Amino acid sequence: MSKIALVDDDRNILTSVSMTLEAEGFEVETYNDGQAALDAFNKKLPDMAVLDIKMPRMDGMDLLQRLRQKSQMPVIFLTSKDDEIDEVLGLRMGADDYVKKPFSQRLLVERIRALLRRQDALNADANGSVPETETKVMERGLLRMDPLRHSVSWKDKDVSLTVTEFLLLQALAQRPGFVKSRDQLMDVAYDDQVYVDDRTIDSHIKRLRKKMRSADPDFSAIETLYGIGYRYNED
């Protein structure tokens, strides 16, 4: 049973969403502000967190920043309708996805399941449950990716990526020189029942580039083809 942390200062959301998630078989912990959640996370981390952005004492952005210092577990942001800047900033800071309020609880459940499935796949060990093609270490020029350990290095420097970032980079690097459209990348990063717009993929790619450039300021392996998509160029 996966444990989901739900953090929001709206008690109606805490009550209704937690009831829905528990009915779907999840164990749910609720917190009405970021500081209370952080105190609990310092003792034991959940499998996934769903965070509101605007909260008292500590908002979702601050909580995410502190969380990313210790864990790459999946995180979904809940955002207000007009918080487009917050959405993009949250993705760049390390959130895996966002859902706008008011939202469909069924959509939220599907996004949670999709991210947990990907987390399970990346955490799988070599016990025969994952095809060899998915567990084999991939090397592309200066890039090294290990799916089993969810580890990435560039020029022998470790780069910490979220589940979504890892899957996007893996999809691009598997076939250097070939273009991946945004729709194809959406299929990689999201469940086929979940719709996201182009901006979400673009935000993930921008954040991925930023992290790679933290290891190498000259990183330029991911190329944008405007109006078409992205491709990975192997040096």
Side-chain angles (χ1 to χ4, degrees):
M1 181 183 295
S2 297
K3 182 180 293 185
I4 310 297
L6 180 62
V7 190
D8 198 304
D9 62 336
D10 187 326
R11 293 189 179 277
N12 290 329
I13 288 180
L14 289 181
T15 300
S16 62
V17 175
S18 63
M19 290 178 62
T20 297
L21 293 178
E22 287 171 354
E24 293 290 332
F26 295 107
E27 181 180 349
V28 184
E29 296 176 340
T30 61
Y31 308 94
N32 57 17
D33 66 69
Q35 185 61 57
L38 180 63
D39 292 342
F41 294 169
N42 285 334
K43 297 176 182 177
K44 187 175 181 180
L45 288 170
D47 296 302
M48 183 176 184
V50 180
L51 312 178
D52 188 23
I53 290 183
K54 296 178 180 179
M55 296 183 290
R57 292 215 292 168
M58 180 184 294
D59 64 22
M61 294 290 190
D62 288 339
L63 177 56
L64 176 63
Q65 187 175 24
R66 299 194 185 201
L67 181 59
R68 282 293 175 250
Q69 294 173 3
K70 64 172 63 181
S71 172
Q72 293 297 316
M73 74 178 186
V75 170
I76 293 177
F77 264 143
L78 300 179
T79 72
S80 298
K81 183 177 180 180
D82 297 325
D83 286 343
E84 292 187 1
I85 294 176
D86 286 344
E87 292 162 6
V88 175
L89 179 58
L91 291 174
R92 290 177 180 174
M93 288 176 61
D96 292 276
D97 205 349
Y98 65 85
V99 176
K100 287 187 177 182
K101 298 179 181 179
F103 55 86
S104 159
Q105 294 199 23
R106 173 52 50 192
L107 175 62
L108 178 61
V109 169
E110 289 301 330
R111 292 196 181 188
I112 288 173
R113 290 193 185 281
L115 285 172
L116 286 174
R117 282 197 298 271
R118 296 182 184 103
Q119 186 73 60
D120 289 343
L122 291 171
N123 289 339
D125 53 27
N127 59 5
S129 62
V130 181
E132 182 180 353
T133 55
E134 296 181 20
T135 64
K136 186 178 180 181
V137 172
M138 179 172 65
E139 295 186 357
R140 296 289 186 271
L142 302 172
L143 175 69
R144 187 178 191 275
M145 302 187 71
D146 186 340
L148 285 180
R149 294 171 177 80
H150 185 49
S151 65
V152 175
S153 64
W154 178 267
K155 288 187 175 180
D156 296 324
K157 295 181 180 178
D158 292 336
V159 182
S160 181
L161 301 182
T162 64
V163 172
T164 303
E165 292 163 355
F166 187 97
L167 290 169
L168 290 174
L169 180 58
Q170 185 180 44
L172 289 168
Q174 279 176 341
R175 301 191 70 189
F178 284 80
V179 178
K180 287 280 188 180
S181 69
R182 287 173 177 81
D183 286 343
Q184 289 173 317
L185 293 175
M186 286 178 194
D187 290 341
V188 169
Y190 292 91
D191 186 89
D192 58 8
Q193 300 180 46
V194 176
Y195 171 78
V196 296
D197 58 23
D198 289 353
R199 187 187 61 208
T200 302
I201 295 297
D202 292 341
S203 295
H204 283 306
I205 294 294
K206 288 178 182 177
R207 184 159 43 91
L208 173 57
R209 282 184 176 132
K210 182 178 180 180
K211 289 187 176 183
M212 298 303 291
R213 285 170 182 161
S214 69
D216 177 10
D218 296 324
F219 175 83
S220 60
I222 299 176
E223 179 184 1
T224 301
L225 286 85
Y226 292 98
I228 302 175
Y230 297 93
R231 71 179 168 200
Y232 182 89
N233 295 316
E234 185 175 0
D235 294 335

